[in-house]
Amino acid sequence: LGGMFITALLLGIVSDAVGDYVDDLKKGRSDVLETNHTLVLGWSDKTLPIVEQVSNANESEGGGVIVILAEMEKERQEELIGEFEYESLGTRVICREGNPLLVADLKKVNAAGARSTIILAGEGTADQADAKSLRVVLSLVGLRAKCASKGHIVCEMCDVDNEPLVKMVGGEAVETIVAHDVIGRLMIQCARQPGLAQVWNDVLGFEGCEFYCSEHPELVGCSFDDVVLRFADAAPLGLLRHKNVMINPPRGEVVQRGDRIIVLAEDDDSYEVGPKPSDIIVEHEEDVHTPKTPRPERVLFCGWRRDLDDVIQLLDDFVVAGSELHLFSGLDVQEQKDRLARARDQRKRPPTLSKLKVVHATGDLCSRRDLERLPLERFTSCIILADDAAEKNATDKDSQALATLLLLRDIQNTRIRNAREPLSPRGEESKSPWAVADWAGDLSQAKDRCVVLSEIL
């Protein structure tokens, strides 16, 4: 009887130990044994697209490993990844629950052995999120210094003013990206160059061709004109010299030791340096170009961004004198002016712009009546911002931006159609092919006259 009791006791102890171990595995408490993996710290709306793009990048290597450490239950992480439709292409995703601020949790995911680390911005205000990212960088730098790790770290920042501090702490191993600022710059450029948005969409990703940067010692001493002819399966675009990017270098620029060639190629292993074709002769002709005289622009911003003053300053640097910027937001006119004045004072900028004239208007972005008060047919471009002035989540902001886009296009089409169709002597609209054009055709006509960009979260 005593033997049976002891046996049952031992079986119970072993069963409890095995059950606890299985629970730890399910909850993501076990250590990650992988090395040379891609580590993602934090969870945001960018996590799943990052998983997709890294999987595409690993395809040429036969796949890889992505490890995610976030303050979210492991089961929930795996559920969201399972619901996200993408092709893994041989890449495995390992999820762990933990706090990226804790060195113990970073050791659990083998942060020191990661090939590359991506730090995503957390929730809260911009300063709060950046302060958390700074602490994560400090923990990573301290952990990696003990192991002599050479992995690359990319840190997402929310405020451009906090970027120098992270760079100072992380040194050359850390690269910072202010996503909010980059998106604002891209929107300004795409609004002024129709079709550029599609180019960025095709290039900034691992589907199709993308940018690569690498050293080629055999090209040292060659002119960039000759470098262009040495790649049969890639398009050389410029040089990276001591962290200075030189796109389309001047004629006769020579490749120096340590220079990295920037190319556009299908993959990092799809191109190589070849011999210079002997049947090609490079001839330089002094082309005489007659530059077009730039004209003043009239731009409309719908919505409000936290860094709107930075976007406005960038636009002011691009346009010519006499241009106008119309700000349409749910904020009162005086509140708009006060916010811009405070932002310019913090950036130590002059109180007024040098080329732009700013016109303020207030109203509901989804109200046709309020939008019709704007001279929409006179704008050269319209940018719909994800309205930070409204307390809404990302889905609601995207829905608002889409509704504003459709309303703007419909109002523009109506006014253009009315301008092209004069009234008949009886006061009735004359019938013409334009009057019966389909909805898609109307949008195409309006698009030719005014570029409309919408920021989608």
Side-chain angles (χ1 to χ4, degrees), residues 212-231:
Y212 292 99
C213 187
S214 58
E215 288 190 41
H216 297 279
E218 62 270 31
L219 296 178
V220 174
C222 298
S223 67
F224 191 78
D225 296 335
D226 293 336
V227 171
V228 173
L229 304 177
R230 300 286 293 272
F231 292 90

Side-chain angles (χ1 to χ4, degrees), residues 187 300-304 365 382-387 397 400-406 408 452-456:
M187 292 183 68
L300 171 65
F301 281 2
C302 291
W304 196 272
L365 272 65
C382 301
I383 298 179
I384 304 172
L385 306 173
D387 196 8
K397 290 181 180 180
Q400 183 188 62
L402 179 60
T404 305
L405 172 63
L406 294 176
L408 286 177
V452 179
L453 290 178
S454 179
E455 180 183 10
I456 300 297

Side-chain angles (χ1 to χ4, degrees), residues 98 109 133 147 201 234 300 369 383 386:
V109 295
S133 298
C147 306
N201 187 55
L300 171 65
R369 180 180 300 177
I383 298 179

Side-chain angles (χ1 to χ4, degrees), residues 144-449:
R144 290 154 58 94
K146 300 177 182 179
C147 306
S149 176
K150 298 181 180 180
H152 190 60
I153 301 176
V154 178
C155 180
E156 179 190 6
M157 305 295 295
C158 295
D159 196 328
V160 68
D161 291 338
N162 300 325
E163 189 177 15
L165 184 59
V166 175
K167 287 185 175 181
M168 179 182 66
V169 172
E172 296 183 356
V174 179
E175 183 175 354
T176 57
I177 296 179
V178 187
H180 209 62
D181 180 65
V182 172
I183 293 174
R185 292 173 178 270
L186 290 179
M187 292 183 68
I188 290 296
Q189 295 180 6
C190 294
R192 303 185 70 252
Q193 296 289 335
L196 186 59
Q198 184 62 40
V199 175
W200 286 121
N201 187 55
D202 292 341
V203 171
L204 296 181
F206 288 97
E207 295 180 356
C209 295
E210 52 271 352
F211 294 111
Y212 292 99
C213 187
S214 58
E215 288 190 41
H216 297 279
E218 62 270 31
L219 296 178
V220 174
C222 298
S223 67
F224 191 78
D225 296 335
D226 293 336
V227 171
V228 173
L229 304 177
R230 300 286 293 272
F231 292 90
D233 300 314
L237 303 176
L239 302 172
L240 178 60
R241 177 178 298 168
H242 306 301
K243 296 184 178 181
N244 295 323
V245 178
M246 303 170 59
I247 299 296
N248 191 20
R251 184 173 301 171
E253 184 68 31
V254 177
V255 179
Q256 302 178 6
R257 188 174 303 277
D259 287 354
R260 305 175 69 182
I261 311 298
I262 304 173
V263 302
L264 187 65
E266 185 176 359
D267 211 332
D268 56 354
D269 60 352
S270 65
Y271 67 96
E272 60 182 8
V273 180
K276 179 181 177 181
S278 58
D279 57 343
I280 297 180
I281 301 176
V282 179
E283 296 182 356
H284 298 297
E285 296 182 359
E286 297 297 334
D287 298 330
V288 179
H289 298 284
T290 303
K292 296 182 179 180
T293 303
R295 297 181 179 180
E297 302 178 30
R298 185 176 287 107
V299 184
L300 171 65
F301 281 2
C302 291
W304 196 272
R305 283 169 57 104
R306 172 176 46 82
D307 60 345
L308 185 61
D309 177 63
D310 296 333
V311 180
I312 293 176
Q313 184 61 51
L314 180 64
L315 180 61
D316 186 66
D317 296 337
F318 284 153
V319 299
V320 299
S323 300
E324 292 183 3
L325 171 62
H326 291 245
L327 297 180
F328 180 73
S329 170
L331 299 173
D332 294 336
V333 171
Q334 189 59 43
E335 177 66 18
Q336 296 180 30
K337 295 180 179 180
D338 292 343
R339 289 193 180 191
L340 290 179
R342 287 195 299 267
R344 297 192 68 81
D345 182 64
Q346 292 175 357
R347 296 287 196 274
K348 294 181 174 56
R349 292 169 177 162
T352 58
L353 299 167
S354 59
K355 304 171 186 175
L356 276 176
K357 174 186 176 183
V358 181
V359 180
H360 298 270
T362 183
D364 188 352
L365 272 65
C366 295
S367 172
R368 185 183 185 91
R369 180 180 300 177
D370 292 343
L371 291 173
E372 284 181 339
R373 293 190 285 106
L374 301 173
L376 298 178
E377 70 281 357
R378 298 169 55 192
F379 293 120
T380 56
S381 60
C382 301
I383 298 179
I384 304 172
L385 306 173
D387 196 8
D388 290 344
E391 296 294 335
K392 300 179 179 179
N393 55 34
T395 303
D396 293 337
K397 290 181 180 180
D398 290 347
S399 300
Q400 183 188 62
L402 179 60
T404 305
L405 172 63
L406 294 176
L407 285 172
L408 286 177
R409 280 306 192 198
D410 187 59
I411 296 173
Q412 285 179 326
N413 287 318
T414 302
R415 293 184 180 180
I416 294 172
R417 184 166 53 245
N418 292 340
R420 294 184 54 153
E421 292 184 0
L423 295 179
S424 64
R426 294 185 179 181
E428 300 176 352
E429 291 186 357
S430 60
K431 302 298 181 180
S432 67
W434 177 264
V436 296
D438 60 358
W439 184 61
D442 287 347
L443 292 183
S444 177
Q445 293 289 338
K447 182 179 65 174
D448 295 339
R449 293 166 172 78

Side-chain angles (χ1 to χ4, degrees), residues 76-133:
R76 180 56 179 165
Q77 297 181 39
E78 294 176 345
E79 180 183 353
L80 293 175
I81 294 175
E83 295 174 352
F84 185 65
E85 297 181 359
Y86 79 103
E87 296 183 11
S88 62
L89 302 175
T91 295
R92 295 186 297 113
V93 181
I94 301 174
C95 300
R96 289 292 182 267
E97 179 182 358
N99 190 347
L101 296 175
L102 301 179
V103 176
D105 288 345
L106 293 176
K107 290 182 178 179
K108 182 171 61 177
V109 295
N110 193 17
R115 175 177 60 181
S116 58
T117 303
I118 302 174
I119 304 174
L120 297 178
E123 298 179 349
T125 64
D127 290 335
Q128 292 173 346
D130 289 346
K132 183 177 179 180
S133 298

